[in-house]
Amino acid sequence: MSRYWSSLVHSLTPYVPGEQPKLSNLVKLNTNENPYPPSPRAVAAMRQEIGNDGASLRLYPDPNADSLKQAVVRHFAEFALTPAHVFVGGNGSDEVLAHVFMALLKHEQPILLPDISYSFYPVYCGLYGIDSVTIPLDDRFAIRVEDYVRDNGGIVIANPNAPTGHLLPLGDIERLVTANRRSVVVIDEAYIDFGGETALGLVNRFPNLLVARTLSKSHALAGLRVGYAVGDPALIEALERVKNSFNSYPLDRMAIAGATEALADREYLEKTRQAVMRGRAALAASLQGLGFDVLPSAANFIFVRHPQRDAAELAAQLRQHGIIVRHFRQTRINQHIRITIGTDAQCERLVAALKEILQSDSNNL
Ligand SMILES: *Cc1c(COP(=O)(O)O)cnc(C)c1O
């Protein structure tokens, strides 16, 4: 605290990201990174962008990242998008979402958020002075669309949801945007490639729908920090206005080159997402065999609880075995842990460690 702080800064409660440990021998299953490397074509494109002497880095990048917008349009050719439907942003979809909150969700009425969801949303509300109303998920952590049919300044939903992995069927998303034409419905599809059906096909029919995406999870480029949003050109123009009042060059040359090629390499995306989904099914079965309740997941993580073990303690014991998972100290979910799907070898290490932990008879609830 300091007298030099603005009153806004005094009032902020910042987001706390999952740990990025400095030790390299840990099995890191806490922040939903992809266990596989990014597309080799994307890596080659980044190397080529730098060249031998790095001379291209003397120059500013394309402020509009047109090649990346084109790559998004081509990646989703079946939905007949144009570059005017696409906003691309640097520093991940987190920064894209920040612009969305400021540009499209700050109105008289409060926005609606599920009680259990990506915990960055309330942080943006605090940063931009946006009121929100929290709508509880049902007992199975599912959204009831009826609960969102009420006046609001906007709706933000992650689909699949984080940290539960729960998927809302496309029909429900359509009901939600149909029932809510007076404000913007934001669907955060950070995990949609791991088993859900995208809402991008609705964009041309609903001028109030905005879909946010990232290359961090399914494209294995969390370190590159690239996100994008797709919606009616009027929504995109609002985001461009905010972006161009904030930073003209949010995407650097490496990010534009790598993300453009990652989106073009569909075969690689298909291969790696299938591998993650196979790993998820195998891990879910192993954990059920150890007595865990495993929520159905359409994401690259599973959300589990053990009826006889305290979740925080389990997470701490896993850490002693060199494995990190995510535990949230939040009502309703403080007895769950979220586990990112790793490689087969990482998942096997996790299961072996859990077996050992569960056999020791301390820590029974
Ligand atoms: C990981 C994640 C994001 C943001 O990812 P970026 O790395 O900033 O693109 C956004 N929403 C949800 C729900 C996420 O889990």
Side-chain angles (χ1 to χ4, degrees):
M1 284 246 236
S2 156
R3 57 189 293 218
Y4 300 119
W5 289 12
S6 67
S7 58
L8 172 68
V9 166
H10 277 286
S11 73
L12 294 179
T13 312
Y15 178 74
V16 182
E19 179 190 1
Q20 294 293 338
K22 300 290 183 285
L23 300 169
S24 58
N25 55 350
L26 291 177
V27 175
K28 190 176 177 308
L29 304 176
N30 67 331
T31 53
N32 300 341
E33 289 137 332
N34 202 307
Y36 304 108
S39 150
R41 279 173 53 185
V43 177
M46 289 187 274
R47 282 192 211 287
Q48 197 184 357
E49 177 63 31
I50 299 186
N52 284 331
D53 59 0
S56 73
L57 297 180
R58 288 182 307 110
L59 304 174
Y60 283 104
D62 174 4
N64 297 318
D66 284 325
S67 71
L68 181 52
K69 288 185 183 179
Q70 286 291 354
V72 172
V73 167
R74 276 197 300 270
H75 189 78
F76 299 109
E78 71 265 44
F79 301 129
L81 304 171
T82 68
H85 290 95
V86 182
F87 176 80
V88 293
N91 275 304
S93 61
D94 283 339
E95 192 168 293
V96 173
L97 288 165
H99 292 343
V100 170
F101 274 72
M102 184 193 266
L104 300 168
L105 300 175
K106 190 171 164 58
H107 300 289
E108 293 288 298
Q109 303 265 14
I111 66 165
L112 308 181
L113 298 174
D115 63 338
I116 298 160
S117 189
Y118 187 37
S119 50
F120 226 132
Y121 306 148
V123 174
Y124 293 132
C125 287
L127 181 60
Y128 296 122
I130 298 167
D131 284 337
S132 64
V133 171
T134 301
I135 313 268
L137 299 176
D138 74 12
D139 296 343
R140 315 224 56 239
F141 295 135
I143 280 175
R144 280 177 303 239
V145 171
E146 317 79 85
D147 295 347
Y148 292 77
V149 183
R150 51 187 278 182
D151 271 357
N152 63 74
I155 297 174
V156 184
I157 281 168
N159 196 44
N161 199 7
T164 61
H166 183 273
L167 179 75
L168 197 62
L170 187 57
D172 283 359
I173 303 275
E174 181 164 352
R175 280 204 291 142
L176 195 67
V177 286
T178 304
N180 190 73
R181 292 184 181 264
R182 293 171 59 177
S183 65
V184 173
V185 178
V186 179
I187 309 294
D188 180 351
E189 292 191 344
Y191 300 104
I192 197 75
D193 286 333
F194 299 109
E197 199 179 349
T198 178
L200 286 172
L202 303 176
V203 157
N204 270 313
R205 284 168 46 213
F206 294 96
N208 60 325
L209 171 63
L210 189 82
V211 179
R213 293 274 197 134
T214 175
L215 277 82
S216 295
K217 314 290 172 34
S218 57
H219 293 276
L221 287 169
L224 201 64
R225 313 302 302 125
V226 181
Y228 58 95
V230 178
D232 186 81
L235 301 185
I236 300 307
E237 190 185 338
L239 298 176
E240 297 286 357
R241 289 176 71 115
V242 168
K243 171 242 166 195
N244 289 317
S245 305
F246 183 80
N247 181 354
S248 311
Y249 307 102
L251 286 161
D252 62 58
R253 287 179 169 276
M254 295 261 287
I256 294 171
T260 299
E261 201 56 27
L263 283 166
D265 194 351
R266 295 183 134 279
E267 240 173 83
Y268 188 83
L269 170 66
E270 193 52 34
K271 196 170 74 181
T272 49
R273 75 184 192 97
Q274 293 295 345
V276 169
M277 290 190 284
R278 275 197 306 275
R280 178 177 69 207
L283 182 61
S286 302
L287 295 192
Q288 275 162 343
L290 294 178
F292 281 89
D293 295 334
V294 181
L295 282 176
S297 170
N300 68 337
F301 56 83
I302 51 177
F303 203 49
V304 307
R305 63 185 285 277
H306 195 283
Q308 277 94 43
R309 299 291 172 132
D310 179 68
E313 224 165 301
L314 264 185
Q317 288 171 310
L318 279 172
R319 205 188 151 102
Q320 285 165 1
H321 282 75
I323 298 169
I324 43 181
V325 298
R326 193 93 196 256
H327 172 255
F328 298 89
R329 289 176 205 288
Q330 188 190 331
T331 36
R332 288 189 83 187
I333 58 169
N334 61 12
Q335 285 309 319
H336 283 79
I337 51 179
R338 191 193 69 189
I339 306 171
T340 305
I341 308 304
T343 61
D344 291 346
Q346 290 175 320
C347 291
E348 280 160 23
R349 257 187 78 181
L350 169 78
V351 171
L354 283 171
K355 265 188 198 148
E356 218 176 283
I357 291 166
L358 293 172
Q359 272 160 13
S360 71
D361 54 5
S362 65
N363 166 46
N364 273 305
L365 274 185

